[in-house]
Amino acid sequence: GLLSIPASLRLDNMPGIASQKASAAGPKGKGAAKAEATGGASDKINAALDAMFESAEQADVDAVVAAIAEAGVSAVNDSMFERLAAAAGMKKKKNARIAVSLLFSALIAKFGRSCEPYLHQPTRLFVVLELLGDGVKEVKEAALAALTTFRALLKDTPPTAAAMKESLLAGLETSKIPAQIFVLEWIEEISVSARVQLQHMLGDLIPGIETHMHSLKAEVQEAAAKTMASCLKVIDNQDVEPFIPALVAAMQEPTEVPETVHKLGSLTFVQPVSTACLSVIVPLLGRGFNDRNVAVVRCCAVICTNMARLVDVPLDALPFLDVLLPAVEKASNDVSNPECRATCGKCSEVLNRIKKAALSAPPRPSLENLVTIIHDAIADKAVADKIPNEINWSAHLALSLVVSNAFETAAWRKCISPFVKAAGLSEEVAHQAADKSLAAAEHWAEDHMEEEDTGDAEQLCNCKFTLAYGTKILLHNTTLKLQRGYRYGLLGGNDSGKSTLMRSMANGQIDGFPTDLRTVFVEADIQGEMSHLACIDYVFEDPRIKSCGASRQEVQNVLLKVGFSEKMCNDAITTLSGGWRMKLALARAMLQKADILLLDEPTNHLDVLNVAWVEDYLISLKDVTSIIVSHNSGLLDKCCTHMLHIEDLKLHLFKGNLSAFVDLHPKAQSFFELKSELSFKFPQPGYLEGVTSKGRALMKMENVEFTYPGNDKPTLSRINVQVCLASRVACVGVNGAGKSTMVKLLTGELEPCKGTVWQHQSARIAYVAQHAFHHIEKHLDKTANQYIAWRFANGEDKEALQKVTVVMTPEEEAKTKEEQIVEFPKADGSVVKRKCVISDIVDRRKMKQGNEYLVEFEGLSFDQNQWWKEAKLVRLGFAKILKVLDVRCEAREGMFKRPVTQMTVEQHLGDVGLAPEFATHTRMSALSGGQKVKVVLAAATWNQPHILILDEPTNYLDRESLGALANAIREYEGGVLMITHNNQFCSALCPETWVVEGGTLDVRGDAEWMKNALKEKVEFEAVKEMVDGSGNTIKVKQPKKKELSRKEKKERERRKKAAAAMGTTLSDETDEDDM
């Protein structure tokens, strides 16, 4: 423990005591004269002891005390206690045994606190303690009186409780029942009189007390249980307090350990975890890690991880790591369950970080340091050399004060002055020695810490706070220091609390954060109730802008400054692309004239030129402090003067830019590389009948033109592109060029004004929009697991059914309700024609000449349904309805192969880096931006898409997740089309580039790669088994390979010749849909 007394520093082994032992043994060597004088005093004391042992009269006891007083209290040495121990063991001499306790009491009465350094040792205290178990009533009463007197002497000086720890532990090991009970009661008393000191002793005392809770003696059990309950009251953690009865019960009954672990596992730790808290929980965790139940072991690892993150003083946790680390590492290697092993592995990482922090923390003064400090504080060194016992005892008490972080003058004088005065010095000199010792100990840690370089800049903020989001602790008892004009890059993984910290600063929710500072949070938000306004009006009507007194002209000037044209200022805000929305947010921030500018991903959606503009703007702010969250390593490297790093619930400040930070922390190299220890995995594309080449087009746009309502000039024109399984395409262009518009046309989010958009009827397309959160913003009260279960409950993608290209207009619905002439065959072979209205289209079947659909009629029975060809239904206005049915039919296979169960969805979310805790047990409203993007990615890829379209996929993802996403795309067998301004990301993945500029699109890329990729064959693995929601396995009948008839082969050749005459080429597997 922290207060353990090294053997070399025990009072008995100090030079002064050693000389007393030599003197008691008789004159030796060159010191004969001095030894003879000491020996004379010793003879006098021994004679008085003989008389006392015979009579046990108070007069004889007083004579011994007088002889000791004449020689000095240092005469109370090992030789004398050897005689007292011998007398205490004289079974036939009652008076001798009584006299031992009477002398102990008399010494306390005579010398008071001056005798503390000579009576507290375990071996000396043990002599009287054993007499509590004597069979003679008078002996027991004398021993009890002596020990009670000594206990009362120490009670008024709480630090003595810590210095007595070794003696208390020895007392718990005695075999005498009354002695055990006395020590237990003493510890119970200390829990009240020395509460703070006991907090640091619990780790050593609890095992001994717990042992007595299982004693065969009922009275010992009762005393131990009472003492334990009293001791645990000193735990200053409100989270743990309600569980103390359960913890005590687990100590009394080991079979309760698993249940207690599970109860503790449901606890959300918020309060700081101190030594006292660890003292009571670590023994429970030690037993839990040895349990055979995997659930108990995993729960222990989770508890351990959560607690470790809230340890404020790593040095306090260091003694407990010797128990926890071996247990956790053993579990991470031995447990069969992989998820449990991974949880234990994470726990081990956290504990090792705590250990590293403890070993590198500024040191506390040790007992040896304090002995030196107190010795040097006594001006007269000759006097100091004469009182080694007093100095060592004072050092023990001072160590207790240091550990308890008590640096009050009165406390230090109480622990040092009485023992310095024992050397004959005045009270004033003794107080001076105590004050010098306090000053030296107080500045010890400061002398061993590196001085922080704060520079000459004005300090804006220096506050200590804790930050939580819901029940999750993000930052705990951490310090934030900010200075004017500095630019801080804020680093941390997804869900570490970066955005929450900045939002809390902007809202004044940080304890101690200055309220007189103007703090502005920059985010590209568009408030729904103001989305109809023009850009200039949107900014001007903002209450924050009005409070600044900005005029409409000033608003327009700032918008023009950041690049808006006069026309754009008056355009509706809904016409802005993502990049222009971010510039609008920056303009709004500029108008507020902030002291502190908080920027959350300021380069999201911005092209290279606009990123450079943001960098130059931030650097130009000499009197404005900026805190920047960004996954753009170039921005952080160019702009930042300091880095703030969130790790283990603390904010760590580093001077320098991102490169300087990486030099100190090589693991942060991931900010510059697309490498990651994380692993993302996308499901491979499902079976696509008839597609054998990766170069075959699955999506096409031909001569497409699109103009937004209200615009005279087309946003896009003459667009001709195609996407296949081999595609790795990066779509680039300046902000507002029309990249997202082009993708929306391709996916059916928008309908073209001219041209055709075609998609393979069986192809599944995953689309993650630029403003990705719009996919989930109506479902924030659901967990990610519940959201995917809702979205794909019946096989089809509910969001896919909301596209413009599948939503029926009133005119289209009216056309489908028109009466049709339908022929119904009769039994005799004749046909009856009737006017009917089609009520629904309920099924689809694939035929050689194309698809046919089962049509249902209003007012007719099911047996009168008919199969109609696709072309006929399209001609009658049912094209959109057929698209919806196609989606449902194609989803059937995926629905059975991947049943929408909690376990399956949880595993899928885990494949994109979302842990079960956030996937299944946390509502999406509580997720960070990066976690929400992972939810959107998981939902988009649930139905095993053939084409993955990502609009700004790098937004909100940290570098680790970005590297994992890149690896997942490399392994993905389907086609990928992405819009991104992250050149490093797209250049590493996409050999083909679509450049959108001036309303047109130019295809560029590595021609050789594209040529080889288009030739690559693809072999889909058809579904052989299906698993339904109940876990039942269903064998799937495999389709027979088609053999074309002679007639069909001729038709194929005819079509190929016709295509060649038109200047196009058809592959052998091309069907009529491609014509």
Side-chain angles (χ1 to χ4, degrees):
L2 292 172
L3 297 179
S4 298
I5 307 172
S8 62
L9 292 170
R10 293 190 184 280
L11 303 188
D12 299 345
N13 296 329
M14 296 306 295
I17 296 296
S19 65
Q20 292 171 22
K21 290 181 179 180
S23 299
K28 289 185 180 180
K30 298 178 180 179
K34 185 175 180 181
E36 185 176 355
T38 308
S42 178
D43 291 341
K44 187 174 182 179
I45 293 172
N46 284 328
L49 285 171
D50 291 337
M52 182 189 71
F53 291 150
E54 287 295 328
S55 68
E57 294 291 338
Q58 188 62 48
D60 291 325
V61 174
D62 293 341
V64 175
V65 173
I68 292 172
E70 184 179 341
V73 70
S74 60
V76 181
N77 54 28
D78 280 354
S79 296
M80 190 185 84
F81 264 91
E82 285 174 6
R83 293 209 61 191
L84 293 178
M90 295 178 181
K91 300 300 182 183
K92 296 182 179 181
K93 291 189 176 183
K94 178 182 72 173
N95 286 348
R97 303 201 302 276
I98 294 173
V100 171
S101 299
L102 292 177
L103 178 60
F104 203 88
S105 296
L107 288 172
I108 297 170
K110 173 64 179 178
F111 296 105
R113 294 200 63 201
S114 296
C115 72
E116 289 177 11
Y118 299 94
L119 299 182
H120 80 281
Q121 295 91 334
T123 54
R124 299 180 181 184
L125 197 65
F126 200 77
V127 172
V128 184
L129 197 61
E130 286 282 283
L131 293 174
L132 289 174
D134 199 280
V136 179
K137 181 180 179 182
E138 292 90 333
V139 177
K140 289 194 292 186
E141 288 177 347
L144 181 60
L147 291 168
T148 302
T149 303
F150 186 58
R151 197 166 85 183
L153 174 69
L154 301 179
K155 182 178 179 180
D156 291 335
T157 310
T160 59
M164 287 295 297
K165 184 183 69 175
E166 298 291 339
S167 298
L168 294 172
L169 290 171
L172 288 173
E173 295 176 1
T174 180
S175 60
K176 305 292 184 180
I177 300 301
Q180 294 174 6
I181 294 175
F182 180 85
V183 174
L184 288 169
E185 291 175 346
W186 193 349
I187 296 173
E188 183 182 353
E189 181 182 272
I190 288 174
S191 70
V192 177
S193 63
R195 180 184 178 90
V196 175
Q197 284 70 28
L198 185 61
Q199 290 175 350
H200 296 276
M201 299 162 60
L202 276 182
D204 295 304
L205 293 177
I206 281 179
I209 300 171
E210 185 179 354
T211 298
H212 289 298
M213 293 172 69
H214 302 282
S215 173
L216 298 177
K217 298 292 183 179
E219 60 269 33
V220 177
Q221 284 188 22
E222 183 180 350
K226 185 179 178 185
T227 300
M228 182 67 79
S230 182
C231 285
L232 297 188
K233 289 180 181 177
V234 306
I235 295 176
D236 53 356
N237 189 300
Q238 296 177 4
D239 301 327
V240 177
E241 283 177 6
F243 292 87
I244 287 178
L247 292 169
V248 174
M251 293 176 186
Q252 292 175 314
E253 185 52 65
T255 58
E256 292 294 318
V257 168
E259 182 60 27
T260 307
V261 167
H262 285 299
K263 287 181 180 178
L264 202 60
S266 65
L267 172 64
T268 300
F269 287 95
V270 178
Q271 296 289 312
V273 174
S274 62
T275 300
C277 185
L278 291 169
S279 299
V280 66
I281 293 181
V282 167
L284 177 74
L285 295 178
R287 295 186 181 93
F289 277 119
N290 289 325
D291 197 282
R292 293 184 178 181
N293 190 318
V294 172
V296 174
V297 175
R298 183 189 181 281
C299 195
C300 285
V302 172
I303 294 169
C304 193
T305 302
N306 293 339
M307 287 182 60
R309 296 183 189 279
L310 295 178
V311 172
D312 274 346
V313 185
L315 280 173
D316 287 347
L318 192 58
F320 301 98
L321 296 181
D322 292 337
V323 175
L324 292 175
L325 269 174
V328 173
E329 289 171 355
K330 183 176 184 296
S332 63
N333 293 324
D334 296 350
V335 174
S336 59
N337 184 286
E339 198 276 332
C340 181
R341 286 201 308 272
T343 302
C344 291
K346 292 178 182 177
C347 178
S348 179
E349 290 177 8
V350 173
L351 293 181
N352 278 305
R353 284 203 299 269
I354 293 288
K355 183 176 182 179
K356 182 179 179 182
L359 295 175
S360 61
R364 289 171 174 150
S366 65
L367 186 61
E368 295 95 329
N369 300 139
L370 290 167
V371 167
T372 302
I373 286 172
I374 297 172
H375 183 279
D376 293 346
I378 300 173
D380 191 336
K381 297 299 182 284
V383 173
D385 292 339
K386 293 179 181 178
I387 54 170
N389 296 323
E390 284 78 1
I391 289 177
N392 276 271
W393 177 245
S394 297
H396 279 78
L397 303 186
L399 181 58
S400 173
L401 293 173
V402 169
V403 171
S404 304
N405 201 30
F407 292 98
E408 296 81 16
T409 300
W412 280 71
R413 286 184 175 182
K414 191 173 184 179
C415 291
I416 296 176
S417 295
F419 309 108
V420 176
K421 283 175 62 179
L425 300 176
S426 67
E427 184 174 21
E428 182 180 357
V429 173
H431 283 344
Q432 288 175 357
D435 295 346
K436 287 181 180 178
S437 301
L438 167 59
E442 193 170 13
H443 294 292
W444 175 272
E446 295 178 10
D447 294 339
H448 289 76
M449 290 178 65
E450 294 184 10
E451 186 174 352
E452 184 180 347
D453 179 17
T454 57
D456 300 325
E458 174 193 353
Q459 187 174 85
L460 296 181
C461 167
N462 184 359
C463 57
K464 192 170 186 177
F465 63 96
T466 291
L467 180 67
Y469 189 92
T471 60
K472 181 179 176 60
I473 298 296
L474 301 173
L475 292 166
H476 184 263
N477 276 8
T478 194
T479 300
L480 174 65
K481 294 182 180 179
L482 300 175
Q483 291 179 277
R484 186 175 294 280
Y486 288 178
R487 297 177 295 279
Y488 300 87
L490 182 56
L491 305 178
N494 286 147
D495 193 45
S496 61
K498 302 184 296 295
S499 297
T500 303
L501 171 61
M502 294 203 298
R503 199 178 297 278
S504 299
M505 291 171 65
N507 295 336
Q509 296 171 327
I510 299 292
D511 292 339
F513 191 80
T515 56
D516 58 336
L517 295 175
R518 181 168 289 177
T519 306
V520 178
F521 185 34
V522 180
E523 55 182 341
D525 61 324
I526 302 297
Q527 300 175 22
E529 64 273 14
M530 299 172 64
S531 59
H532 64 286
L533 297 176
C535 295
I536 188 172
D537 295 325
Y538 179 82
V539 177
F540 184 66
E541 294 298 328
D542 191 312
R544 292 167 292 185
I545 302 302
K546 285 190 173 294
S547 66
C548 297
S551 66
R552 185 181 176 85
Q553 186 59 49
E554 287 175 318
V555 171
Q556 182 166 0
N557 290 342
V558 171
L559 288 175
L560 295 174
K561 184 177 180 181
V562 299
F564 280 72
S565 64
E566 290 190 10
K567 178 181 182 301
M568 291 178 67
C569 290
N570 295 296
D571 283 345
I573 197 169
T574 52
T575 63
L576 296 182
S577 67
W580 284 104
R581 290 187 184 190
M582 180 55 71
K583 295 188 77 172
L584 185 76
L586 287 168
R588 187 171 52 186
M590 292 168 65
L591 286 162
Q592 296 178 63
K593 300 175 182 177
D595 294 303
I596 299 178
L597 202 57
L598 308 172
L599 301 105
D600 191 1
E601 300 290 356
T603 60
N604 272 4
H605 314 296
L606 295 183
D607 55 35
V608 176
L609 294 177
N610 282 315
V611 169
W613 180 88
V614 171
E615 292 172 347
D616 294 339
Y617 171 69
L618 291 176
I619 293 172
S620 71
L621 300 175
K622 302 301 181 184
D623 295 322
V624 178
T625 297
S626 304
I627 299 180
I628 309 163
V629 171
S630 177
H631 300 124
N632 185 325
S633 55
L635 175 76
L636 297 179
D637 219 29
K638 185 176 180 180
C639 293
C640 294
T641 59
H642 293 74
M643 305 306 297
L644 285 168
H645 186 215
I646 298 178
E647 186 177 34
D648 294 332
L649 309 185
K650 300 291 183 184
L651 267 176
H652 304 278
L653 177 64
F654 300 90
K655 186 176 181 180
N657 61 3
L658 183 60
S659 293
F661 176 77
V662 170
D663 290 340
L664 293 173
H665 298 81
K667 279 190 174 182
Q669 183 63 34
S670 62
F671 278 93
F672 294 100
E673 300 174 351
L674 284 178
K675 296 180 180 178
S676 175
E677 295 180 1
L678 293 179
S679 176
F680 284 10
K681 182 174 67 174
F682 293 150
Q684 295 304 334
Y687 177 71
L688 200 56
E689 185 178 355
V691 177
T692 59
S693 167
K694 282 194 171 184
R696 181 180 176 186
L698 300 182
M699 304 177 78
K700 286 183 182 179
M701 288 202 297
E702 295 181 347
N703 296 319
V704 166
E705 181 177 300
F706 179 79
T707 306
Y708 277 105
N711 287 358
D712 299 328
K713 184 180 178 182
T715 302
L716 294 170
S717 60
R718 302 189 306 279
I719 303 298
N720 293 276
V721 292
Q722 70 175 32
V723 184
C724 60
L725 289 170
S727 294
R728 289 293 185 275
V729 181
C731 184
V732 299
V734 299
N735 293 132
K739 303 181 297 297
S740 297
T741 301
M742 185 273 297
V743 168
K744 289 180 179 179
L745 288 166
L746 185 63
T747 58
E749 297 278 332
L750 295 174
E751 285 190 296
C753 300
K754 294 181 181 179
T756 58
V757 178
W758 173 86
Q759 177 182 317
H760 190 290
Q761 65 178 11
S762 298
R764 292 188 289 275
I765 313 300
Y767 173 44
V768 178
Q770 181 183 80
H771 306 287
F773 299 161
H774 94 271
H775 293 279
I776 60 174
E777 61 187 6
K778 296 180 181 179
H779 306 277
L780 296 179
D781 58 340
K782 297 183 177 73
T783 66
N785 202 312
Q786 291 169 340
Y787 166 66
I788 291 180
W790 165 84
R791 181 169 165 178
F792 297 96
N794 299 316
E796 75 268 18
D797 182 353
K798 288 187 175 65
E799 290 201 357
L801 304 182
Q802 298 173 3
K803 295 180 181 178
V804 172
T805 50
V806 296
V807 175
M808 300 285 285
T809 64
E811 294 79 9
E812 290 170 332
E813 287 186 357
K815 186 174 181 180
T816 62
K817 295 301 179 182
E818 293 176 356
E819 290 184 338
Q820 309 295 332
I821 303 297
V822 183
E823 296 181 349
F824 292 95
K826 297 177 66 176
D828 59 2
S830 61
V831 174
V832 177
K833 294 184 179 181
R834 296 175 56 182
K835 288 185 178 180
C836 298
V837 175
I838 298 174
S839 62
D840 199 2
I841 299 176
V842 295
D843 203 358
R844 182 191 74 177
R845 66 184 182 187
K846 294 183 178 181
M847 307 298 288
K848 289 183 178 180
Q849 301 303 319
N851 293 335
E852 291 185 355
Y853 295 86
L854 187 60
V855 178
E856 192 176 83
F857 303 100
E858 288 185 359
L860 299 184
S861 62
F862 179 81
D863 60 352
Q864 292 180 294
N865 292 353
Q866 294 187 3
W867 289 98
W868 287 12
K869 291 186 179 295
E870 179 180 3
K872 180 178 180 180
L873 287 168
V874 169
R875 190 170 62 252
L876 296 176
F878 288 87
K880 290 184 177 180
I881 294 177
L882 297 186
K883 281 187 178 182
V884 173
L885 184 59
D886 286 340
V887 170
R888 288 175 176 166
C889 292
E890 294 300 329
R892 287 175 187 170
E893 178 183 309
M895 180 176 63
F896 282 99
K897 190 176 181 182
R898 308 189 75 195
V900 188
T901 62
Q902 178 175 318
M903 183 179 297
T904 310
V905 175
E906 187 174 284
Q907 181 180 352
H908 178 66
L909 287 161
D911 287 342
V912 293
L914 199 65
E917 178 183 353
F918 304 108
T920 306
H921 307 294
T922 305
R923 288 187 173 186
M924 291 191 292
S925 59
L927 299 182
S928 68
Q931 289 172 326
K932 288 177 180 175
V933 169
K934 291 174 183 178
V935 175
V936 173
L937 277 172
T941 57
W942 169 258
N943 61 359
Q944 299 173 273
H946 302 95
I947 304 294
L948 183 59
I949 300 177
L950 305 170
D951 194 347
E952 297 287 4
T954 61
N955 292 348
Y956 300 103
L957 290 178
D958 59 23
R959 297 294 294 195
E960 279 283 307
S961 299
L962 204 56
L965 176 61
N967 291 333
I969 290 175
R970 290 188 184 100
E971 298 296 324
Y972 179 57
E973 292 293 332
V976 178
L977 166 61
M978 67 177 74
I979 297 175
T980 179
H981 294 298
N982 188 322
N983 182 63
Q984 181 189 19
F985 187 78
C986 68
S987 61
L989 298 171
C990 301
E992 182 179 351
T993 304
W994 295 353
V995 181
V996 181
E997 187 175 12
T1000 62
L1001 185 148
D1002 182 25
V1003 178
R1004 304 174 187 174
D1006 184 339
E1008 191 63 29
W1009 177 90
M1010 294 168 69
K1011 179 180 178 182
N1012 293 332
L1014 294 177
K1015 291 180 179 179
E1016 187 177 347
K1017 296 294 182 182
V1018 59
E1019 293 185 5
F1020 294 109
E1021 183 178 349
V1023 180
K1024 297 177 181 178
E1025 291 183 348
M1026 296 180 179
V1027 181
D1028 64 17
S1030 301
N1032 301 309
T1033 302
I1034 305 169
K1035 297 291 183 181
V1036 179
K1037 185 178 179 180
Q1038 298 300 310
K1040 294 181 180 180
K1041 188 174 181 180
K1042 287 185 177 180
E1043 288 291 341
L1044 297 181
S1045 65
R1046 183 178 178 184
K1047 182 178 179 181
E1048 289 171 333
K1049 288 179 180 179
K1050 285 185 176 181
E1051 175 62 19
R1052 184 183 64 186
E1053 291 301 320
R1054 185 192 65 77
R1055 288 166 50 211
K1056 290 175 69 174
K1057 288 179 181 179
M1062 297 172 61
T1064 60
T1065 303
L1066 296 182
S1067 61
D1068 287 343
E1069 70 270 9
T1070 303
D1071 58 23
E1072 290 182 3
D1073 291 321
D1074 293 315
M1075 297 295 289

